[in-house]
Amino acid sequence: MVSPYLKEMNGKKVLIVNEKPFLILAGEVHNSSSSSSEYMSGVWEKADNLGMNSVLLPVTWENIEPAEGAFDFSLVDQLITQAREYNKKIVLLWFGSWKNAQCYYAPSWVKRNTSRFKRAEVKKGQNFTKLEDFYEMPYTTLSYLCEETRQADARAFKELMKHIKEYDAEENTVIMVQVENEPGLQGAARENSDEADELFQSEVPADFVAFMKNNTASMAEDVKQAIKHGANEGNWTEVFGEVAAEIFSSYHVATYINTVAAAGKKEYALPLSVNCWLDKGQKPGMYPSGGPVSRMMEVWKFCADEIDVIAPDIYVPNFLDVCDEYIKLGNPLFIPETVTHAYAGPRQVYVVGHYHALGYAPFGFEDMGEEFSAIDSYLFGVETTDPLFKEPQDVQEYQWITRTLNELSPLLAHKYGTTDLQAVSCERKDQDSMVFGEYGIKVMMDSHMNSRRDGVCLALKIAEDEFYVLVNGCIIHPLSLDQKNPYVGVLSLEEGRFEAGNWKMHRRLNGDEVAIMRYEKPTLLRMKLYSYK
Ligand code: DGJ
């Protein structure tokens, strides 16, 4: 069996599994769920109830290598076996040296031996600090400069990938692997050990300087200006000015993770991703400095060519602005973590329809539909005035959306990278129309005739005059863009679903329902238009 891989189709990357395009319509489990296969049985059920085809779950370094060189893959095997029983795919999350910029999941033999496996010195000479800007949180993490740790992590990841190949290559249950989790350094923009100081004062590698100087077009404005005004050679400050410390951290974190990724990929060449804790305009160190945030993406592209996908964990309200930042440099959009509030469903539709994303996964999906705790509320940005941020996603609707996208996925993936697949969202009201050659669809979301405020509409053109439309919370109007035939009519409107790849009509809607095309619950339509004068 050919292992899963990314294929470029019409300029977009599509994940191919068992020789077919596969959209990852998934959820990420809470961190501790996959530490027990017994606990996971209920979680697979929930994924199934939400219509998901895949689950993102952690496998930890401490679990697979409890003593150095002694590997135990029994839990990994149980998780893969369970996924098969539930007909689910797995995106495996390698919790190795980094988990949320700390080292929670390093094995005890790594944690205890701080002279061999060095800690990052946020403050000179200290292996521990309290994050002043972050609720005085106790903080320690492994050093990104420590070669011993890098090699130990790479050996463990290599064994893991080798094992997955042996156990799973015939079935392709594991379809992608995230290397580490939200890596980087908190508390400072760079490490401050003597070794770090010395490296920071030494010459920046010439090929890296040349790459950065030649690739400023896509960079964030402050990074671009610092690089344009920096020297052509010299130490990190001379070359990169104000952003030197963050670039230094990114260079070393990305190079480290690339070593780990390469060791695994050599054994089993699955697509590999990294995820990031977003920068929200703060200074590096408030968010993990050196992590693969969009402002450091050029550095990551240079240093980490084994990584196929840079993925944002999006908990902020302006979800779509973040998506826009992570599609530069041909990066395929993949959302491994996001919120479970009332925009979770509409956003899933929009990332597929508009961004042609590889996949989408709300975090802690096990709790979808439940009221939010105080910490969830903080994470999900409920302090905004929008009441939908406080409202849990309706589970039945989420299930419908995920199942429908799944059933449509062969058709959708085929149109990735083309203008035949488009979407509009209530979160982007300035873009309210979709144009497909001689026809278009105008979408209204704020009408007094429509009680919902979470509208989304995805349209897939299947012939010049025919479309599948997945719609909710909208009123839609077909348009003619043919100047010779400016009027448009609906020849047929059907409501239905897909079954085993075939359209199954429930009702034909050519009466009142076509007079005002208003949708107050998720609906899949097949619509044929005509134009006249
Ligand atoms: C982001 C991390 O990547 C996850 O593992 C988890 O800790 C969530 N934050 C919690 O919200």
Side-chain angles (χ1 to χ4, degrees):
M1 189 75 82
V2 178
S3 59
Y5 62 99
L6 294 179
K7 180 177 174 187
E8 189 141 331
M9 284 167 61
N10 311 307
K12 277 269 168 196
K13 303 236 175 62
V14 177
L15 178 66
I16 307 291
V17 179
N18 297 340
E19 298 296 357
K20 291 194 193 111
F22 187 88
L23 306 188
I24 307 172
L25 305 169
E28 180 167 326
V29 300
H30 280 293
N31 293 163
S32 307
S33 302
S34 59
S35 63
S36 146
S37 55
E38 198 184 328
Y39 185 88
M40 274 300 286
S41 11
V43 177
W44 295 112
E45 290 281 346
K46 286 189 178 156
D48 214 37
N49 286 337
L50 290 166
M52 294 168 173
N53 59 24
S54 311
V55 168
L56 278 65
L57 56 84
V59 164
T60 70
W61 190 2
E62 64 169 6
N63 174 266
I64 66 157
E65 196 183 6
E68 188 168 10
F71 289 93
D72 175 359
F73 293 112
S74 48
L75 179 60
V76 177
D77 295 351
Q78 286 162 20
L79 295 168
I80 294 176
T81 306
Q82 284 182 322
R84 290 176 188 160
E85 282 163 15
Y86 283 90
N87 195 23
K88 301 284 168 267
K89 300 292 182 193
I90 292 177
V91 175
L92 207 141
L93 314 174
W94 171 237
F95 284 10
S97 298
W98 281 282
K99 164 66 175 72
N100 297 20
Q102 300 214 33
C103 56
Y104 305 112
Y105 290 102
S108 62
W109 52 272
V110 171
K111 281 185 182 147
R112 286 175 190 277
N113 194 345
T114 53
S115 54
R116 181 174 165 210
F117 303 109
K118 298 214 165 37
R119 296 292 167 97
E121 294 181 19
V122 172
K123 295 194 180 117
K124 191 173 282 300
Q126 290 182 26
N127 284 340
F128 170 85
T129 190
K130 282 196 175 164
L131 298 177
E132 283 151 25
D133 293 339
F134 211 81
Y135 320 111
E136 295 284 307
M137 191 166 87
Y139 184 76
T140 185
T141 196
L142 294 163
S143 168
Y144 52 63
L145 298 174
C146 183
E147 190 57 24
E148 272 289 306
T149 331
R150 184 205 307 219
Q151 293 306 333
D153 188 335
R155 278 193 298 276
F157 188 60
K158 172 187 149 128
E159 291 302 322
L160 173 65
M161 295 300 278
K162 187 172 164 212
H163 179 78
I164 294 170
K165 184 176 183 183
E166 282 161 10
Y167 194 77
D168 191 48
E170 282 307 305
E171 302 223 12
N172 291 333
T173 314
V174 180
I175 53 174
M176 189 155 109
V177 180
Q178 176 186 297
V179 192
E180 314 293 346
N181 193 80
E182 294 190 346
L185 177 77
Q186 280 195 278
R190 68 165 176 92
E191 293 187 14
N192 286 293
S193 61
D194 290 344
E195 185 195 1
D197 286 352
E198 201 178 303
L199 279 168
F200 195 62
Q201 294 310 328
S202 58
E203 191 91 352
V204 183
D207 54 347
F208 180 50
V209 180
F211 177 87
M212 294 298 275
K213 292 262 178 200
N214 290 331
N215 287 278
T216 53
S218 56
M219 287 177 183
E221 201 46 39
D222 64 322
V223 181
K224 186 187 287 183
Q225 290 311 325
I227 289 173
K228 280 192 169 164
H229 295 112
N232 289 329
E233 55 182 35
N235 68 29
W236 292 76
T237 312
E238 286 161 346
V239 174
F240 297 125
E242 296 273 292
V243 287
E246 186 178 10
I247 294 184
F248 177 83
S249 289
S250 300
Y251 180 89
H252 288 290
V253 174
T255 310
Y256 183 124
I257 291 182
N258 203 48
T259 308
V260 176
K265 221 178 205 179
K266 208 166 159 204
E267 292 298 327
Y268 190 29
L270 289 181
L272 300 179
S273 66
V274 285
N275 67 328
C276 69
W277 172 330
L278 296 180
D279 67 289
K280 298 172 203 149
Q282 311 119 312
K283 55 181 189 188
M286 280 287 282
Y287 62 93
S289 182
V293 288
S294 65
R295 54 188 273 105
M296 289 293 120
M297 222 142 123
E298 291 76 11
V299 180
W300 276 77
K301 288 282 167 196
F302 178 83
C303 300
D305 59 352
E306 302 285 346
I307 298 298
D308 305 286
V309 183
I310 292 180
D313 294 342
I314 315 182
Y315 294 96
V316 292
N318 58 331
F319 177 92
L320 301 183
D321 297 338
V322 177
C323 292
D324 285 342
E325 287 181 31
Y326 285 82
I327 54 173
K328 69 177 183 178
L329 304 170
N331 186 53
L333 188 67
F334 178 61
I335 314 294
E337 295 183 36
T338 191
V339 295
T340 54
H341 58 43
Y343 287 112
R347 285 173 178 177
Q348 179 169 225
V349 175
Y350 191 70
V351 298
V352 169
H354 178 76
Y355 293 102
H356 303 176
L358 286 184
Y360 176 87
F363 178 81
F365 71 86
E366 298 101 307
D367 302 339
M368 190 180 279
E370 290 175 17
E371 289 302 318
F372 300 130
S373 65
I375 180 75
D376 289 338
S377 306
Y378 162 74
L379 271 171
F380 296 177
V382 297
E383 69 271 19
T384 64
T385 49
D386 184 342
L388 292 184
F389 283 94
K390 300 190 176 78
E391 201 177 300
Q393 167 68 46
D394 180 290
V395 167
Q396 290 311 315
E397 288 195 355
Y398 198 85
Q399 178 202 69
W400 184 94
I401 287 171
T402 315
R403 287 196 177 152
T404 304
L405 288 173
N406 218 350
E407 285 158 2
L408 273 172
S409 66
L411 292 176
L412 295 168
H414 185 63
K415 298 288 190 178
Y416 264 33
T418 76
T419 51
D420 289 352
L421 174 59
Q422 298 184 39
V424 295
S425 157
C426 60
E427 294 187 85
R428 197 156 267 175
K429 295 210 167 65
D430 50 329
Q431 290 166 21
D432 62 354
S433 299
M434 296 174 275
V435 171
F436 305 87
E438 307 227 308
Y439 292 99
I441 300 173
K442 184 169 168 58
V443 183
M444 290 183 299
M445 297 189 183
D446 278 344
S447 158
H448 65 280
M449 286 195 288
N450 170 21
S451 66
R452 298 191 68 136
R453 290 295 170 263
D454 58 349
V456 69
C457 181
L458 172 154
L460 174 75
K461 176 175 152 183
I462 49 169
E464 275 315 308
D465 55 357
E466 197 165 10
F467 304 85
Y468 287 117
V469 183
L470 193 169
V471 59
N472 187 25
C474 309
I475 295 172
I476 63 173
H477 281 314
L479 305 169
S480 167
L481 298 144
D482 176 357
Q483 287 180 352
K484 291 192 196 127
N485 293 297
Y487 308 119
V488 68
V490 177
L491 271 185
S492 75
L493 188 66
E494 296 175 357
E495 173 192 70
R497 70 193 143 90
F498 271 84
E499 247 179 45
N502 298 311
W503 174 248
K504 291 272 171 204
M505 182 191 85
H506 294 165
R507 292 190 299 167
R508 191 169 168 90
L509 307 171
N510 275 21
D512 287 346
E513 291 85 359
V514 88
I516 300 176
M517 295 166 72
R518 180 170 75 102
Y519 304 95
E520 294 260 302
K521 66 181 178 60
T523 307
L524 184 64
L525 304 166
R526 182 171 178 152
M527 176 172 80
K528 194 168 172 68
L529 305 175
Y530 71 104
S531 60
Y532 59 98
K533 59 183 175 181

